[in-house]
Every structure is written in C-alpha cells, then in structure tokens.
Amino acid sequence: MSAPIEKVCLVGANGSLGSVILDALVAEGTFSVSVMVRANSSSTPPAHAASGVVARIPIDPRFDGPELARLLVGQDAVVAAFPVQDVGQHLRLAEAAYKAGVRRYIPADYGSCDARSPQAQRHLQLYRDKAAVQARCEALAASAARDRVPFTWTSIVSGHFFDWGLRNNHLQLDVAARKALVLDAGVTRASASTLPRVAETVVRVLRRRPDETANRFVFVQSFCPTPLEVVAALERATGESWHTAHADSNAFLERETRALDAGDEHALHNVVFVLGAVDADWTRRDEFAMDLLGFEDEDLDAVIGNVVNELRAKGLA
C-alpha cells in the first residue's frame, strides 16, 4: 500500500463505539473523515460534523449496494462500526467498498470473542453473521489480488468492551450493589479492551501499519486479568468488600442460551459475557498484535477507578 490512507469513511458514527472511533480519527489530524448516515435518520449528527470537521454522506435507508459503491468512490478506507443486526447490510457494504476501489475495509468485528470460534457460532447467530462477513472480505481480497484491485481488509478483535460493559452492568459486575458473578474458579484470563483502545487500534491500523495489517486479524487488549483480579481492583476502587458468587461457565452458558431461545433478550448479553470470558486470552494467539501496533497494557486499577468515579458522579455507585 504505497500511498498513505487519508480519506476515511466511518459507518456507525453515532454508536457507543463509533463515536469514540470518530473522535480518534479526527484527533489523529491526518485523515479527511466522512460519516455515512441514513437520509431518514433522527440521530443527532456527530459534533465534529456540525463543526465542519467531518463530512456527512447521506444514504437511502434501503442501504442499496450500487448507491453505496457510488458514494464510496474516492475513499481510501471504510470502517464499519454499526451493530451486525442485518448481516446483509454489512455484506453489501464490504462489496461496495471493493467495487468503489476502497483500499482498506475494517468490518464490525471487535468484541467480545473470536467469531471464528465453533462454540461462539454454535450459541449465537451474531457470530455466524460476523464469520460470514469475514469470509466475504477474504473472498473479495482474493479476487482483488487476481484482478489487481486495491481492496484489503483488517479484522480487529478486542475482547469485551471493558469500560462500556462495566458502566452498563453487562459483565456481571454490579458496581452499585457491590456484587460480582465469577465463572468457575475465577482464574481464567481473558483479554478485554476499553473503547479508546479499540478506537486507537483503528487509527494505528490505518496510519501506522497499513501494510502489515492487510488481510489479517489483529488481536488487541487493554489488559488480560482473571475475574478475581478484576474483583480485587473493584474492591480497591470502591473501598468496600464485594459479594462474589461463582457459577459453572458451561451450565451458565447453556441456561442463558435456552433463555435467549425462549425470547429473553437480556440473555443475549449474558451469552456474550460467557463467550468473551472462557476463551479470550489473546496473548496466546499468533495474531496478537500489541507489539506490531506499539501498544502496552493499560492500568486495570486506573480504568476501573475512572469508571467508578464516573458512576459515583451520576449517583450510580
């Protein structure tokens, strides 16, 4: 990839992760950033767009493939950061990037586990859909190599969104009640990332290591603690002892999967929680890219302390 990536289109800029990615792309100061928004969207435009720093690209809500390709012409990179609820939209976006001559596509992979995992795919359609997008990216890159099209892809796998999950009680860590659910013996390490770490990974893939990260997975983390280490850090941050319950991970996963199949939408978060805890030690993976991207682990106590202080300020801790 001889020329630097300069023009970046972000799809999903109003989401929890997308908004942080947008901030990171703008803060880098070297990208010309656009955000794609549905023409009928009632979401508030990103603050950067309102100030003129970011261009807005309206698209018909049908997310039509030919229109997507037309709108993406001239972009160097496309970053998908919207939920994989309609996999067809993600497949069309990847294909449109290919047809538009986009040089790097980053699919909406991210957390909480490796979507290629047979266990993850068995329990959730979400990961079967993510794997389908990955497979399409690989096929498009193979076609690009044959046809001398510049398309490449990078899948970023970050583990649980730790700060977001702690704020929203999606990690079985109830800060207000000082209660934690610990899987098994609580000694299995699992990689997790803060939203800023994920966003900075996007920036470093595009700016610092575009060639080295082409057509591959990059696994990153903020830290890789055990559940007991997380609870100990929470006790230090809150200055109180926590009530800790233990659960067998296999039994918990099967129970929550049945609840999800029965229509309990909250069970989805619990299934994702387990899948991102039992097989997510990225330090053991060949695709672990912390050194490649110039990252060091964040301070677990500092991250937890910041979240606890935020919740206290809102009267939630």
Side-chain angles (χ1 to χ4, degrees):
M1 194 170 291
S2 55
I5 290 174
E6 296 178 343
K7 298 188 70 175
V8 180
C9 180
L10 174 63
V11 187
N14 282 313
S16 298
L17 175 60
S19 60
V20 183
I21 292 177
L22 177 62
D23 288 342
L25 289 170
V26 171
E28 176 65 14
T30 58
F31 298 119
S32 173
V33 184
S34 301
V35 295
M36 185 171 286
V37 295
R38 289 177 173 81
N40 66 342
S41 174
S42 59
S43 299
T44 303
H48 301 295
S51 66
V53 176
V54 174
R56 298 177 77 242
I57 303 176
I59 184 169
D60 188 282
R62 292 173 295 181
F63 225 60
D64 178 69
E67 183 188 17
L68 280 169
R70 177 179 61 81
L71 293 173
L72 292 176
V73 170
Q75 298 291 337
D76 296 320
V78 172
V79 180
F82 61 105
V84 185
Q85 294 175 335
D86 180 347
V87 68
Q89 293 182 343
H90 289 263
L91 294 171
R92 291 196 296 277
L93 183 61
E95 291 164 357
Y98 171 85
K99 292 176 181 177
V102 170
R103 291 188 283 143
R104 179 59 51 86
Y105 182 73
I106 297 180
D109 207 339
Y110 312 117
S112 290
C113 62
D114 185 351
R116 298 170 296 180
S117 161
Q119 182 184 41
Q121 292 186 22
R122 184 170 65 253
H123 285 278
L124 282 182
Q125 181 66 42
L126 169 65
Y127 296 113
R128 296 194 289 274
D129 288 342
K130 285 188 175 186
V133 176
Q134 293 165 359
R136 186 65 56 87
C137 288
E138 292 171 355
L140 291 170
S143 295
R146 291 192 304 269
D147 301 336
R148 298 186 179 181
V149 175
F151 178 89
T152 59
W153 60 273
T154 304
S155 276
I156 296 169
V157 186
S158 62
H160 282 317
F161 297 159
F162 185 84
D163 51 343
W164 178 86
L166 185 57
R167 289 187 189 100
N168 294 282
N169 195 14
H170 288 320
L171 299 178
Q172 299 296 323
L173 300 167
D174 189 334
V175 178
R178 308 296 196 260
K179 293 181 179 180
L181 177 67
V182 172
L183 296 176
D184 304 319
V187 296
T188 299
R189 296 192 176 278
S191 298
S193 297
T194 62
L195 295 182
R197 172 53 50 94
V198 181
E200 181 60 23
T201 301
V202 172
V203 169
R204 295 193 185 193
V205 164
L206 297 179
R207 174 54 55 187
R208 299 190 186 185
R209 292 287 186 266
D211 294 331
E212 296 90 338
T213 59
N215 298 330
R216 60 162 287 184
F217 288 79
V218 294
F219 285 70
V220 296
Q221 65 181 33
S222 289
F223 25 65
C224 189
T226 68
L228 293 181
E229 288 172 347
V230 172
V231 172
L234 283 163
E235 290 182 331
R236 289 190 292 271
T238 58
E240 298 179 36
S241 296
W242 278 48
H243 174 74
T244 303
H246 287 256
D248 178 86
S249 58
N250 290 324
F252 185 89
L253 180 58
E254 294 300 329
R255 186 187 74 215
E256 293 303 315
T257 300
R258 289 194 299 271
L260 181 62
D261 291 341
D264 182 356
E265 295 183 2
H266 181 71
L268 173 64
H269 295 293
N270 294 335
V271 174
V272 171
F273 158 69
V274 180
L275 293 173
V278 297
D279 183 25
D281 184 348
W282 303 156
T283 65
R284 300 173 180 268
R285 300 295 185 101
D286 292 338
E287 301 118 321
F288 193 52
M290 295 287 283
D291 289 341
L292 173 65
L293 296 173
F295 281 132
E296 294 184 356
D297 280 358
E298 297 185 62
D299 186 297
L300 177 65
D301 281 294
V303 170
I304 286 179
N306 287 338
V307 173
V308 169
N309 288 337
E310 289 174 17
L311 293 176
R312 280 176 173 157
K314 296 176 181 178
L316 301 176

